[in-house]
Every structure is written in structure tokens, then in C-alpha cells.
Amino acid sequence: MFFRKNFNIKIQSAFVFYFFLIEFLFIIIFLNLITSFSYTQMAIVSIVQLILNLMALKFLVKLDFISIPCMFVLFTFIFHCGEILKYGFDIPGTDYFPLELYASNFEISKAFIFYLLSQVFLFLGIGVSIKPSQNSIYRINQLSMKLPKDSKNTGRILFGIGIIPRLFLDVYQLYISSRGGYMALFTENIPQFVSTLAFFFDAGVIYLLISESDKKKTTTIFWGVLLYKAFTMLSGSRQDKVCFLLIWIYIYYLIKNKLNIKKTLVLIIMSFLGFYFISSIGAGRVNSNIEFGGFLSTINTLSYTIGSSLSEFGSAFNTLVLAVKYTPSNISYGYGLSFVAAIVSCVPLLVARIPLLADKTIFITQLPGSIYHSLGGSFLGELFYNFSWIGPVFCIFIGSILGKSHYGIKNKDNNLSNVACLYSVIGTAMFLYVRGYVTDMGQKIIWLSILLIILKSKEKKRSIFN
């Protein structure tokens, strides 16, 4: 039995590698034939690649379509190809960040090539990391032993630490946006450590949701937090809340419960309403005439709403385009210093005092403000800035983290709920990274890890004393 299982794992890995190799070689051959793409060509190629990768993850790696790795692949596609789809298929809607204002077709094509290559290596990283082998189970058990056993108590402590900073941050953002609109939030500098402490609230409720065995309490926690997060989106600040809710809904409907017809219908309705709600907030926050109370009046026809949403969500591609266009001609390569800055950021305000790291946290700030104004981040843009065309190879590590997160969460029933809780929290940070920077999660994950180590140490002392 053991040898048969081991053989199947090797076969799976071989198929994953062969698929990666075929896709990689096909892209190289394709690039030799076409060096400059139209938007329609880019849209079709990106959709074909997405479908093939998701199908391969489903049938070669045995991943559900609704899983953390597959959702990460999908959101990478939406956030980096949204504008391309809009232009390629001529979908009506508002152009929030027109690509032609940022670069030429040649530079846009180069950025698209980087995107394609990154998805190939991302697939490889996910595929080779998901192995239900004895070694994988052993490593999860080892990690479980290093974490606090009482997940519910850990959740209460995290909740207690984060509740006041979270309320302060959310109420403050609602207040500022109600007086000056969404753009007023950019003029307010909230210390990073406040956001990190508020992140403990999010981590705490995830721990409580997973560890709670009472169904009524689980349902109350789920809907209470979901409605709270939806309400606080009215400030116009959505990114961290959407990333959190994706994991939140995934845990509740696919980890804590089993999908049935009723739950599937609820999920579909929630998705539809959520899309319109998020889109209306997006439309409202870029219109200076629309402030806190007028978001819902911005909903138009379905096709126009989809087009506008694709333009806004797909703006992460603009950041990648800027990285390709201006690195290294106008700004030097980061050579991995952005990731060093993420580690150093665990000490508040220290990065800003180190000249070598200060401008590496958000690389596009090295450009004139008129170029990058209002653009968010992109993990692909950050990879190009740091590692040039070697950047896609580092997607293997990102895929590996996603694969381990999936495997850790799925094993929650084997007395490993503390591992599932930790990987769920990491999942929210990874989703945020799609349209962000590594420093966005550096301090959060490091501080959380330190707190978990302290709690485990106290747990050991109690057990020895008892």
C-alpha cells in the first residue's frame, strides 16, 4: 500500500513537470513567432492559459476549483489581465487607468510575456508542493507541535489584542472618507504597527471560526464578521477586506461545512450581490462627486459594470508595465532588497531609517508621482523590479506556499486545527500580495509568529507545572 501510494505521487509529479515543460516550451516557441501582441491576442492567450492551468491543477494535482491555490491563480489573472480582457473584447465601461497612458504596445507586450512565464512557474510550484505523502504528513505534525494546541484560546488572545486597533482603524477610515471622499484616505498616514495590531483581530476571528465546534456559534461568528467587513468597505478601502472575506467564506462553506443545494444557492447570491457592491464602491471612490452616501447609485448595466470592474481590478498590470518600462533604465534593480525590507519591517520605523531599504518597500515611488499616481501594487511587478526576467522562477516558491497552505487547511480534522488556522491566516496575506507588496505582510506575519512562539512557550511551562 505504501509503495503504491509512493509510486502514484511520483507519477503525479512527473505529469506536473511534463505539463510545465510543454507549456513553457510552447510559450517560448510562440514568442519567437510573435513579439508584439494586440489586446485581442493577449486576451485569448491569457484565457487559454488560465483554463489549461486550472484543468491541470484539477486533474493532475487533484485540486478543487474552489481552493486557495486555484483562487490565487484566478485572481492573479483578473488583477493582471482585467484591462486586457476589456480592451481585447471591446467591453464597455469606464477606463480608470488606460494602459496606453503608461507605456507603448511593445512594453505592454513584454509585461504580458512576463505574466505568462510567471503563471507557468506558479503552476509548477503548486503542483510539486501538494503531495499527500508520509513526509508531508510528518512535517505538518511537526509544525503542529510547535504551535499552541488550544486554537480557541489563541483566537481569543489575538481577538483581544486586535479589537481596539481594528475598531480605531475602521472607524477612522469611515470618518475620513465621509468628510473628504476616498482620496482623503491617502493624505492620512497611519503607522504600520497599528495596521499590524488590527490584523491580529482578523487572525483571531479566523482561529475562532475554525476551532468553534458549536454550529450556532459558528454561524453567528461568520455572519457577524462578514457584515462588519462589508460595512467598513463603505470607506472605499476594500482590498484587505475582500482578501479576508475570500478566505472567510471559503473556510465557512468548504472547510467547516459541506456544500449542499441550499448553501450553493446562498453562495451564488452572495457572490452576485458582493460583485455589485464592490463594483459600486470602486465606481464611487474614483468619482470626486460621489462620497460616503452615494455608492449604490453608481450601478449601471451589467456589461458596463463588468467592463468598469475589469479596468479597475486589472490595474495591477499597470504596475508590472511600469516595472518593465522603467527598470533598469530609470530605477535600478532591487536585487531582492524589497524582501529584506519586509523582514526588517518587523521593527517599527526601522526601514525608513535605512537609506538602502527605504525606497525598496514600494518600488514605484522611485518614479515621479505623476506616473504612478493612484496605482496599487503587483507581486509580479515587484518580482520584475527585484529579479528582472529571472523573476518568474521565484513564483515556484509562491506556489509552494499556496500548496502547503491548502494541504494544511484540508487536514484540520486530524487534530491539526492549529495548523489549519495558521495557514488560513497566511492565505489572507497571500491573496493580498497579488495586488500588493511583500512589505504589506512582512510585519504582520513576523509579529504573529512571535506571538505564537510566546503562547507555545507559556503552554509548555503550564504543562510542566501541572
Side-chain angles (χ1 to χ4, degrees):
M1 182 71 180
F2 170 76
F3 290 106
R4 183 183 295 178
K5 195 172 184 180
N6 232 21
F7 178 75
N8 290 336
I9 291 169
K10 288 181 179 179
I11 290 293
Q12 176 183 308
S13 298
F15 277 126
V16 166
F17 182 76
Y18 287 144
F19 183 88
F20 156 78
L21 199 59
I22 292 170
E23 186 178 0
F24 179 75
L25 291 174
F26 181 81
I27 290 174
I28 297 300
I29 294 170
F30 186 66
L31 295 179
N32 285 327
L33 299 175
I34 304 175
T35 55
S36 185
F37 300 88
S38 68
Y39 285 125
T40 303
Q41 289 172 328
M42 286 189 277
I44 293 172
V45 170
S46 64
I47 290 173
V48 170
Q49 185 191 47
L50 174 70
I51 293 172
L52 289 175
N53 284 348
L54 289 178
M55 294 296 286
L57 289 173
K58 170 68 175 176
F59 294 108
L60 297 182
V61 189
K62 312 301 180 186
L63 270 179
D64 295 329
F65 286 127
I66 304 179
S67 62
I68 287 179
C70 288
M71 286 193 291
F72 186 92
V73 170
L74 178 61
F75 293 129
T76 299
F77 167 76
I78 293 172
F79 290 137
H80 289 85
C81 295
E83 283 185 289
I84 291 170
L85 296 179
K86 182 182 183 300
Y87 298 146
F89 298 122
D90 196 25
I91 303 172
T94 304
D95 290 330
Y96 295 114
F97 306 99
L99 275 170
E100 59 271 14
L101 297 182
Y102 293 90
S104 66
N105 179 264
F106 175 71
E107 291 155 338
I108 292 169
S109 296
K110 283 176 65 179
F112 180 68
I113 292 167
F114 188 90
Y115 164 81
L116 291 178
L117 292 172
S118 71
Q119 297 314 287
V120 178
F121 285 96
L122 182 64
F123 164 80
L124 180 63
I126 295 170
V128 299
S129 65
I130 300 181
K131 299 176 183 177
S133 62
Q134 291 295 113
N135 192 35
S136 298
I137 296 170
Y138 172 76
R139 279 185 292 202
I140 286 182
N141 277 285
Q142 287 295 105
L143 176 59
S144 177
M145 291 170 64
K146 295 175 183 178
L147 295 171
K149 287 184 179 180
D150 191 344
S151 297
K152 187 177 288 188
N153 184 57
T154 303
R156 288 170 182 153
I157 293 171
L158 288 168
F159 181 88
I161 294 172
I163 181 64
I164 293 176
R166 170 54 65 198
L167 287 173
F168 166 78
L169 195 60
D170 291 339
V171 171
Y172 184 70
Q173 287 181 339
L174 286 167
Y175 172 75
I176 293 298
S177 65
S178 68
R179 293 178 63 86
Y182 171 73
M183 298 307 293
L185 295 176
F186 286 96
T187 64
E188 301 297 322
N189 293 318
I190 298 172
Q192 175 65 32
F193 75 88
V194 176
S195 299
T196 298
L197 292 175
F199 173 75
F200 281 7
F201 168 86
D202 296 350
V205 292
I206 286 175
Y207 268 76
L208 291 173
L209 182 69
I210 292 177
S211 60
E212 183 56 64
S213 56
D214 185 277
K215 286 191 175 182
K216 288 186 178 179
K217 289 182 179 179
T218 300
T219 303
T220 302
I221 293 170
F222 172 75
W223 284 106
V225 173
L226 187 145
L227 292 173
Y228 173 78
K229 288 289 184 180
F231 175 73
T232 56
M233 281 189 212
L234 292 175
S235 67
S237 177
R238 306 165 303 167
Q239 187 170 332
D240 61 323
K241 299 168 184 65
V242 171
C243 292
F244 171 85
L245 287 177
L246 287 171
I247 296 292
W248 188 249
I249 293 170
Y250 171 72
I251 292 170
Y252 182 74
Y253 280 102
L254 285 98
I255 303 299
K256 293 289 291 185
N257 296 288
K258 290 185 178 180
L259 275 181
N260 52 33
I261 295 176
K262 181 181 177 181
K263 285 186 172 67
T264 302
L265 287 174
V266 171
L267 197 55
I268 291 171
I269 294 170
M270 282 174 57
S271 301
F272 182 78
L273 294 176
F275 169 74
Y276 265 99
F277 179 66
I278 293 167
S279 298
S280 67
I281 291 174
R285 73 181 195 174
V286 296
N287 188 335
S288 59
N289 296 321
I290 302 175
E291 296 183 358
F292 181 76
F295 288 122
L296 297 179
S297 64
T298 63
I299 297 177
N300 289 295
T301 63
L302 179 61
S303 61
Y304 193 92
T305 302
I306 291 173
S308 300
S309 298
L310 287 173
S311 176
E312 187 193 2
F313 293 152
S315 63
F317 187 70
N318 297 53
T319 305
L320 172 58
V321 168
L322 291 181
V324 171
K325 180 178 180 178
Y326 291 104
T327 310
S329 58
N330 291 70
I331 55 177
S332 301
Y333 287 118
Y335 299 109
L337 288 176
S338 296
F339 298 87
V340 175
I343 296 171
V344 176
S345 70
C346 67
V347 181
L349 307 178
L350 181 59
V351 172
R353 297 177 181 274
I354 303 175
L356 185 64
L357 300 178
D359 59 356
K360 303 299 188 297
T361 55
I362 303 177
F363 73 90
I364 58 173
T365 57
Q366 298 178 54
L367 298 169
S370 58
I371 295 176
Y372 70 84
H373 179 67
S374 295
L375 282 181
S378 160
F379 81 102
L380 296 182
E382 188 170 62
L383 286 177
F384 185 90
Y385 163 70
N386 280 279
F387 307 113
S388 186
W389 288 96
I390 302 175
V393 177
F394 288 86
C395 285
I396 294 175
F397 299 104
I398 295 172
S400 177
I401 294 171
L402 293 167
K404 289 176 181 177
S405 297
H406 169 80
Y407 194 65
I409 294 171
K410 283 291 185 179
N411 278 276
K412 76 167 186 70
D413 294 327
N414 302 326
N415 296 317
L416 299 171
S417 65
N418 54 354
V419 175
C421 291
L422 176 61
Y423 275 129
S424 296
V425 175
I426 291 174
T428 64
M430 293 302 296
F431 278 6
L432 191 61
Y433 186 40
V434 173
R435 202 180 177 187
Y437 300 95
V438 69
T439 48
D440 293 340
M441 61 177 174
Q443 189 181 91
K444 295 181 177 71
I445 297 300
I446 293 172
W447 280 26
L448 175 63
S449 301
I450 292 172
L451 180 60
L452 292 177
I453 291 170
I454 293 171
L455 292 176
K456 181 62 179 179
S457 176
K458 289 189 174 182
E459 193 175 76
K460 281 183 178 179
K461 287 181 181 177
R462 282 198 301 269
S463 63
I464 292 171
F465 179 77
N466 291 333

